[in-house]
Amino acid sequence: MVSRIGKKVGEMGFNVGGGAINWFPGHMAAATRAIRDRLKLADLVIEVRDARIPFSSANEDLQSVLSSKRRVIALNKKDLANPNIMNKWIQHFSSCKQDCLSINAHSKSSVNKLLAIVELKLKEVMSREPTLLVMVVGVPNVGKSALINSIHQIASTRFPVQEKIKRATVGPLPGVTQDIAGFKIAHQPSIYVLDTPGVLVPSIPDIETGLKLALTGAVKDSVVGEERLAQYFLAILNSRSTPLHWKHLYNRRKEESQYDFRGKNEDLLGNPFSRKRRLVNESEVLYIEDLVTEVQKALYVTFSEFEGDLKDESELEILIEKQFVALQKAFKIPHKVGAEARTMVSKKLLTLFRMGKLGPFTLDNVPNASNSKP
């Protein structure tokens, strides 16, 4: 029986093969209990979500508590999300009477806008409370620590902070922050911000949600497997006909290209978390751009030449296999047989996606008005 594309991409046979995706280390259970206890004391909550998955990056187990608090939803990593769809998500949250702002946690102006909303929502409480508590919560790797550090930098110029402020540690992998630490950011009234560890639900509701969380880095790659994630990402690209959008982009870059960096920096797209960040020189930037062009070309050519029915799940899987072969050549990975080459292809493709080099993507669809909830 033919499976049609109407089925969720994550529910297709080649994606569900690894089973449900659940990652709930012991420290997350303890952290979840601590967060629940402290939420009772919070005057306001900043819930950080990933702008690419505004719905899937919500911790469902905490929503009943969060919805009863003063809350601002901060859709972080807006530079990686489709801006047109982002505007629709903002409108969706507004229709649900929920304050929401898309931000880049590394941008001072972006974080200032968020703080302005926070201060406005706390204004009525400031007059009668000498001390206010703001909690920052969210699933792993949505940028909570980066946001906290930006708030510290802004606060240090605004207020005479008397005690030494400890910077939040930005971990290279999801779920590394295990303690809940408080930071004073203002006087008169005293405002404290609590940074919390990223926590997931003990059981992720469906495979699609789990794959989206893993694809954006909230779940460790090793839990799901890089190859499974790369297959899922390619299935999304193909089901949306995204490779067709790269035809003109590829042609333009081909005309503008004046350099050939083949063979250089072959390890540039290795594990980006395994080494310290270093300065990127012009040749590396051009190498990345050239590599992206090759990848986009490989995906465009395989997609445009494929004559199968992409609404047929098995034929979509055939296309993805062809794309793996083409990507191995695009990444200049030596000819290897089996899992090693596929893993290398998968890691490099995922890195390009997470760097935003393949373009901005929003993976969650905006809910219908009849099914609206923040």
Side-chain angles (χ1 to χ4, degrees):
M1 183 176 179
V2 175
S3 299
R4 291 295 168 182
I5 205 73
K7 179 191 290 187
K8 289 183 179 180
V9 174
E11 294 174 352
M12 294 180 178
F14 52 89
N15 282 319
V16 301
I21 298 165
N22 290 311
W23 183 50
F24 196 68
H27 75 266
M28 282 194 188
T32 299
R33 290 192 294 270
I35 290 171
R36 285 184 177 277
D37 289 340
R38 286 161 176 77
L39 275 173
K40 299 173 185 176
L41 306 174
D43 296 288
L44 183 141
V45 178
I46 298 175
E47 184 188 1
V48 186
R49 300 187 188 181
D50 192 313
R52 294 167 293 181
I53 49 172
F55 186 75
S56 297
S57 57
N59 185 316
E60 283 298 319
D61 282 4
L62 295 178
Q63 290 308 304
S64 60
V65 179
L66 295 177
S67 61
S68 65
K69 310 290 294 186
R70 292 181 186 84
R71 172 175 61 168
V72 177
I73 293 177
L75 299 179
N76 190 32
K77 305 185 182 183
K78 69 175 184 178
D79 53 313
L80 300 178
N82 184 312
N84 296 324
I85 301 178
M86 178 57 53
N87 290 334
K88 294 178 181 179
W89 269 105
I90 298 295
Q91 293 171 9
H92 164 71
F93 285 112
S94 177
S95 69
C96 297
K97 310 299 182 184
Q98 171 61 59
D99 291 291
C100 177
L101 182 70
S102 60
I103 68 166
N104 179 344
H106 297 286
S107 165
K108 183 177 178 180
S109 62
S110 187
V111 176
N112 266 320
K113 291 178 182 178
L114 175 63
L115 291 179
I117 295 177
V118 169
E119 291 172 7
L120 181 63
K121 290 183 71 68
L122 285 176
K123 192 171 184 179
E124 62 182 45
V125 192
M126 286 180 177
S127 60
R128 61 178 187 270
E129 293 288 345
T131 302
L132 298 174
L133 179 63
V134 175
M135 282 190 69
V136 180
V137 302
V139 302
N141 206 35
V142 289
K144 298 182 303 300
S145 295
L147 175 60
I148 287 288
N149 288 334
S150 292
I151 291 174
H152 284 168
Q153 293 171 10
I154 293 170
S156 66
T157 62
R158 284 188 183 180
F159 308 105
V161 181
Q162 296 175 358
E163 65 246 47
K164 184 178 181 181
I165 291 178
K166 178 183 176 184
R167 288 175 60 85
T169 301
V170 181
L173 295 172
V176 296
T177 305
Q178 297 186 18
D179 299 322
I180 295 180
F183 307 93
K184 190 172 185 177
I185 64 167
H187 291 297
Q188 299 177 351
S190 295
I191 300 179
Y192 287 84
V193 172
L194 283 188
D195 185 24
T196 60
V199 293
L200 294 165
V201 296
S203 179
I204 297 174
D206 59 67
I207 289 176
E208 187 89 16
T209 298
L211 287 167
K212 288 176 182 177
L213 287 167
L215 187 59
T216 53
V219 175
K220 289 196 299 186
D221 286 353
S222 58
V223 174
V224 183
E226 289 90 352
E227 184 178 336
R228 186 183 179 193
L229 281 177
Q231 285 180 317
Y232 175 62
F233 179 54
L234 289 173
I236 291 175
L237 293 182
N238 293 323
S239 64
R240 296 181 176 185
S241 299
T242 301
L244 291 180
H245 300 314
W246 292 331
K247 178 181 180 180
H248 301 298
L249 181 63
Y250 162 67
N251 289 336
R252 187 176 78 239
R253 285 184 177 175
K254 184 178 180 181
E255 292 171 0
E256 294 174 352
S257 178
Q258 300 177 12
Y259 303 92
D260 182 6
F261 295 97
R262 284 176 293 185
K264 294 184 180 181
N265 305 310
E266 290 183 356
D267 196 39
L268 198 61
L269 287 182
N271 184 351
F273 303 125
S274 65
R275 56 184 63 85
K276 292 182 179 179
R277 182 178 296 175
R278 53 192 167 85
L279 292 176
V280 179
N281 59 40
E282 184 179 0
S283 67
E284 288 180 338
V285 171
L286 289 168
Y287 165 76
I288 285 285
E289 291 178 353
D290 187 62
L291 182 63
V292 168
T293 297
E294 290 301 309
V295 169
Q296 290 174 328
K297 174 188 174 183
L299 295 178
Y300 164 71
V301 171
T302 50
F303 183 89
S304 60
E305 292 181 350
F306 189 69
E307 297 180 352
D309 181 5
L310 293 181
K311 293 181 179 180
D312 183 325
E313 180 181 330
S314 61
E315 294 197 34
L316 176 59
E317 185 175 4
I318 292 172
L319 171 59
I320 290 173
E321 290 303 306
K322 290 180 180 293
Q323 289 173 327
F324 262 93
V325 174
L327 287 171
Q328 183 172 343
K329 294 178 181 178
F331 286 126
K332 300 176 179 62
I333 296 172
H335 179 68
K336 298 177 182 179
V337 178
E340 185 178 358
R342 295 176 68 86
T343 299
M344 292 176 68
V345 168
S346 301
K347 286 182 176 180
K348 292 178 183 293
L349 180 65
L350 293 173
T351 298
L352 284 182
F353 162 71
R354 290 165 179 166
M355 292 171 66
K357 295 300 182 181
L358 297 178
F361 288 93
T362 300
L363 305 177
D364 280 348
N365 295 321
V366 181
N368 297 325
S370 59
N371 187 31
S372 293
K373 65 176 182 176

